[in-house]
Amino acid sequence: MTSAHREVDVLIISDLRFPGGTSHSIANEIDAQHRAGYRTGLVHLNGPLVRRVRPFSPVIAERIRSGAAELLVGPASITAKLVVFRHPGVLQAAADQLPPIDAGHVVILANAAHVAPDGREIYDVSETDRLARARLGVDPVWAPIGPLVRDDIAPFIPEGRLADDDWVNIIDVDSWQRAPSGWQADRPVIGRHSRPHPGKWPTDGEAIRQAYPTDGTWAVRVLGGADPVVDVLGEIPDAWEVEAFGERLPRDFLTDLDFFVYYHDPTWIEAFGRTVLEALAVGIPAIVSPRFRPLFGDAALYAEPPEVRRLVERLWHDRPAYNAHVALASQLVRARFGYEAHAHRLRALIGPAPESPPGLLDAGDATVVGQPEPAGDRRRRTASTRGTDRPPEDQPTVLFMSSNGAGMGHLTRLFSYARRLDGVAKPHILSLSQAVPVADRLGYPYEYLPSSGALQVPAGRWKPLFIERVTETIARIRPSVVVFDGTWPYRGIEQIREAEPGPRWLWSRRGMWRHGMNLAQLDKSAWFDAVFEPGDLAAAYDQGVTVGAQSHRVSPVTLLDPSDLLDRASARAALGLPESGPLGLISLGAGNINDTSSDIGVAAQALVRNGVGVCVTLPDIAVTSPELSGHVHVVRDYPLSRCYRAFDVVVSAAGYNSFHELLRFGVPALFIPNRQTSLDDQAARARFAADSRWAFELPRLTLEETSARIASLLEDGSDMVARAHQADPGNGAPAVARLITRAIDGTLS
């Protein structure tokens, strides 16, 4: 571009000769901006960090040739909505090379600490800040690339000019993601890749051996050379397979691994950890130091070197848990580090792109596509396959929205309502729960809206994303009714309703809140046209603030009815369980079956003591101990209640869904209330069931007490569940469907 004046949306200023991560990060942002419709300009500065003559990075040159970005040279002025300086050291050394720039916003992207591990200053924060203000006339915002850099530069940044959120690197998830496959070999295959820099490897020999075994029990593969290891171990272990830096493309290398394991010099400040992000994008678990947790959250796995072997072996022996983690990590990586996340970051700063392609999705708009549904799952669908009363194109749409609960409760209740609307309305699911892809099994379209916790942003910064995303969804699908299930309606609903006043809003608000808690939430009823409360069999023990609050009350809600359950033989076949012999189910949440001091370990031992086979719903169950092997089966299905007749007894938490499903479907139960819930009064629910002689409850498990309760359930459980069945008023889900139908028709008040 050689005109007297140049104008772009985003102007990236850097030394475009950087050979490594900085250039690749610039290239990724160019791609994301081009895809989103933003015009990108590039200004090159000869910085001090590239100490020899070399051309532009090939990945940058490729983007210039393709037209995704324009190289702006010469002294003509430039107008940019956003100017991003990549690497403060380049700006500090070469600010006098800048042409006149009229900038709306200026971001100094701190993609490295201001001092090197050896104490050498890489850039002066105050001087760099002064130069930016002097040259552009705008107070710049400093954006760290990650938490460690934030900690490094925060003391030197003027008040109010440190970005609330890190400017994390991004990656094109679709181009990196591999198709799921089995294990690479008959033993775990781990690997790592990095530049052959001493700081990229641990300096302790024992830590290297613990993280990267040298005895051949695992296949250890290294891309990028391992020369620094020689300085520590005296040699490169014969059992390792080592390839030079650049010998293979990182994606191809990562695709051949089962696990990515990355540790470096503890004194090294890893500004970001792009190699970790690449492994997560490919779709393999990344095991790293806990210091990476603030950056990658639940997407990665964290351990110190002595803990690596146990973590790898556990997942190696539990492929379903491995797959579950990979699926969760993929969702989180796409939400926080995908191209859509960068588009949202820009939109928050400078507004929508003037050339936005139709249907562009941002981080809050990205629909997380589930894995292709196996044929067996299609045959097992419990909804959306029945005949309709009127053609689908004539049916109104209902938007079902759930909060980010700890389990499946909110989503399952919404599915319960949606299932009863066949022939009346088309359900559409929008959820903050990372479990939302299960909607696909039921045949419902769904979208994932990452919560503030999943995106690791403060609630105040997340609120505009929530408003924008929900408003866009309503404008796109035009629902007649929005049904929100949760105990904490999000601020912003008022603004959404002002922007899109068409649909009526209903609040599905279950009771059994802990005594005295959440009183202020009742005021949010004013945001809704009506509130309805799914009933609770333990309502007599409800001491929460919803008691007496105005609402439409219905009977307890479950997704399925007894007639939907498989018979015993079919249920066991569906779960791959033994045809004969008693079986018990343990459904308590997190824990380790080998830890006999934990509730899960105690429950397993108690079942074995009573001659009952052990089934566990845990997604991350550890390798079974010898004394339990042959008795333990991991069961996964949704909805699992469809297969409850496979079990003779259940040890379960007392959450809303499990409590009502077990009692309604006649499974003898020992309830262990989860007392760490933020609001749900599971203790009162379990105590009511015990006082009514419907089930047993224990506040905590001991082997003797648990064994005795299980023995009693095997003996008298049928009488207990019969009493519960007599008190059951029936499923309230059809009544909710009728309320929703009245809201569609405008007759609900």
Side-chain angles (χ1 to χ4, degrees):
M1 184 183 291
T2 57
S3 63
H5 181 77
R6 287 92 53 97
E7 186 171 339
V8 295
D9 297 310
V10 182
L11 182 64
I12 299 176
I13 302 175
S14 187
D15 189 329
L16 304 180
R17 303 170 298 167
F18 279 121
T22 297
S23 289
H24 281 86
S25 297
I26 292 173
N28 284 140
E29 292 189 3
I30 291 171
D31 289 344
Q33 288 158 196
H34 183 64
R35 183 180 297 179
Y38 292 101
R39 296 163 297 167
T40 301
L42 301 174
V43 168
H44 167 71
L45 301 181
N46 286 309
L49 304 176
V50 181
R51 299 184 181 278
R52 63 185 178 88
V53 177
R54 63 185 305 151
F56 281 9
S57 164
V59 296
I60 300 287
E62 180 182 344
R63 270 67 182 178
I64 296 171
R65 288 194 299 269
S66 71
E70 296 181 89
L71 179 64
L72 307 181
V73 296
S77 63
I78 303 170
T79 295
K81 297 176 183 176
L82 171 65
V83 173
V84 179
F85 287 100
R86 261 199 174 266
H87 208 299
V90 173
L91 171 60
Q92 181 178 344
D96 59 348
Q97 301 173 22
L98 291 170
I101 298 173
D102 180 9
H105 299 269
V106 177
V107 170
I108 300 177
L109 177 52
N111 50 326
H114 83 291
V115 293
D118 60 5
R120 174 177 49 88
E121 184 180 78
I122 300 175
Y123 59 89
D124 183 312
V125 175
S126 298
E127 177 61 9
T128 304
D129 186 83
R130 184 192 69 79
L131 287 168
R133 287 185 287 110
R135 297 291 304 192
L136 278 75
V138 175
D139 287 342
V141 171
W142 283 76
I145 202 170
L148 296 180
V149 174
R150 175 178 292 273
D151 293 343
D152 176 77
I153 67 172
F156 310 100
I157 305 298
E159 184 176 352
R161 290 206 280 113
L162 180 64
D164 291 337
D165 304 320
D166 296 335
W167 190 287
V168 295
N169 280 334
I170 60 172
I171 194 165
D172 186 1
V173 177
D174 291 331
S175 69
W176 281 79
Q177 198 166 44
R178 70 177 184 183
S181 62
W183 301 121
Q184 302 296 322
D186 59 355
R187 54 184 174 151
V189 178
I190 73 165
R192 54 165 287 155
H193 77 93
S194 68
R195 292 184 291 113
H197 188 286
K200 298 289 188 178
W201 283 88
T203 54
D204 177 70
E206 187 61 20
I208 291 176
R209 294 186 185 93
Q210 290 167 337
Y212 311 99
T214 60
D215 58 4
T217 54
W218 297 349
V220 178
R221 298 173 182 171
V222 179
L223 176 63
D227 290 346
V229 174
V230 177
D231 297 332
V232 181
L233 299 183
E235 63 178 356
I236 295 176
D238 292 336
W240 292 7
E241 303 171 32
V242 180
E243 299 174 72
F245 185 76
E247 188 171 338
R248 260 211 294 173
L249 292 175
R251 183 189 183 280
D252 295 339
F253 170 77
L254 292 165
T255 298
D256 292 335
L257 304 179
D258 296 318
F259 300 87
F260 181 81
V261 180
Y262 181 69
Y263 291 87
H264 56 75
D265 182 342
T267 66
W268 177 267
I269 298 180
E270 188 72 75
F272 182 77
R274 183 170 183 84
T275 59
V276 180
L277 177 59
E278 290 172 351
L280 294 171
V282 164
I284 57 174
I287 300 173
V288 295
S289 165
R291 71 182 63 190
F292 282 101
R293 185 183 293 276
L295 178 60
F296 293 112
D298 290 340
L301 298 170
Y302 305 96
E304 298 296 348
E307 303 165 329
V308 170
R309 179 174 290 274
R310 183 169 180 267
L311 180 54
V312 168
E313 292 288 350
R314 176 169 66 82
L315 289 174
W316 173 258
H317 287 87
D318 189 359
R319 185 73 195 199
Y322 178 99
N323 292 341
H325 171 75
V326 168
L328 171 61
S330 295
Q331 292 178 14
L332 296 179
V333 166
R334 186 179 294 275
R336 189 168 191 223
F337 304 102
Y339 278 14
E340 300 88 352
H342 184 65
H344 173 71
R345 181 160 63 195
L346 295 182
R347 192 148 63 243
L349 277 172
I350 61 175
E355 301 170 8
S356 297
L360 176 71
L361 303 180
D362 71 9
D365 301 327
T367 297
V368 181
V369 180
Q371 295 296 324
E373 185 181 21
D377 284 337
R378 294 191 192 100
R379 288 192 297 269
R380 294 199 301 265
R381 280 181 178 169
T382 57
S384 76
T385 57
R386 285 176 266 171
T388 56
D389 298 328
R390 44 184 169 173
E393 60 270 17
D394 293 337
Q395 296 176 14
T397 297
V398 175
L399 177 61
F400 291 97
M401 184 166 58
S402 82
S403 60
N404 185 33
M408 290 292 297
H410 300 299
L411 269 176
T412 298
R413 274 190 297 277
L414 292 182
F415 295 155
S416 304
Y417 311 149
R419 187 170 186 249
R420 274 77 185 182
L421 286 175
D422 277 357
V424 176
K426 296 178 292 186
H428 190 98
I429 311 297
L430 174 63
S431 177
L432 279 69
S433 170
Q434 293 161 3
V436 69
V438 300
D440 188 55
R441 297 190 184 185
L442 305 181
Y444 302 133
Y446 69 90
E447 302 177 36
Y448 171 51
L449 168 57
S451 65
S452 61
L455 293 176
Q456 297 184 357
V457 299
R461 299 281 292 180
W462 177 81
K463 178 183 171 183
L465 170 62
F466 170 74
I467 294 172
E468 178 185 1
R469 173 60 188 285
V470 178
T471 301
E472 186 278 333
T473 300
I474 292 174
R476 172 165 38 89
I477 69 172
R478 292 298 175 191
S480 299
V481 174
V482 178
V483 179
F484 174 81
D485 190 282
T487 55
W488 192 285
Y490 300 105
R491 294 196 176 276
I493 289 177
E494 319 98 300
Q495 291 96 316
I496 294 169
R497 298 204 65 176
E498 290 177 6
E500 291 290 339
R504 294 171 67 84
W505 283 63
L506 308 181
W507 182 8
S508 170
R509 186 189 66 200
R510 64 155 176 78
M512 296 297 290
W513 294 7
R514 291 181 182 272
H515 179 66
M517 295 186 64
N518 243 28
L519 176 61
Q521 295 305 308
L522 294 184
D523 294 338
K524 295 180 179 179
S525 299
W527 298 351
F528 298 87
D529 296 290
V531 178
F532 61 87
E533 181 176 313
D536 202 301
L537 288 172
Y541 281 22
D542 189 349
Q543 298 183 20
V545 296
T546 63
V547 175
Q550 184 174 358
S551 68
H552 297 269
R553 287 178 169 80
V554 300
S555 299
V557 168
T558 53
L559 175 59
L560 303 183
D561 294 305
S563 60
D564 295 313
L565 271 61
L566 298 177
D567 60 44
R568 184 179 180 87
S570 299
R572 290 196 173 190
L575 296 176
L577 300 175
E579 295 179 5
S580 60
L583 291 175
L585 177 67
I586 303 173
S587 182
L588 293 174
N592 188 323
I593 197 167
N594 282 330
D595 180 6
T596 56
S597 66
S598 73
D599 282 347
I600 292 173
V602 171
Q605 295 284 350
L607 288 170
V608 171
R609 178 178 287 190
N610 280 280
V612 178
V614 180
C615 301
V616 184
T617 60
L618 282 181
D620 57 346
I621 181 175
V623 182
T624 61
S625 63
E627 61 199 277
L628 293 179
S629 61
H631 290 274
V632 176
H633 310 273
V634 179
V635 292
R636 291 179 178 84
D637 194 17
Y638 186 83
L640 183 59
S641 58
R642 183 180 66 99
C643 297
Y644 270 177
R645 288 176 178 147
F647 308 109
D648 298 273
V649 64
V650 173
V651 181
S652 173
Y656 184 92
N657 286 296
S658 56
F659 181 83
H660 291 98
E661 288 172 344
L662 291 169
L663 294 176
R664 176 163 287 163
F665 300 153
V667 188
L670 168 58
F671 289 117
I672 314 300
N674 181 353
R675 298 175 183 274
Q676 304 305 313
T677 58
S678 60
L679 190 63
D680 190 25
D681 194 353
Q682 290 197 16
R685 193 178 282 127
R687 189 169 62 252
F688 178 83
D691 290 349
S692 302
R693 296 187 297 146
W694 296 349
F696 289 124
E697 68 97 17
L698 286 173
R700 60 180 300 274
L701 296 184
T702 65
L703 184 56
E704 294 302 324
E705 286 183 308
T706 307
S707 297
R709 296 298 192 282
I710 290 174
S712 296
L713 287 173
L714 293 171
E715 182 74 22
D716 302 320
S718 59
D719 293 337
M720 300 175 78
V721 297
R723 284 190 287 270
H725 182 73
Q726 291 174 358
D728 183 6
N731 197 343
V736 173
R738 290 191 292 271
L739 291 173
I740 295 172
T741 302
R742 288 170 55 196
I744 294 173
D745 296 338
T747 59
L748 179 65
S749 59

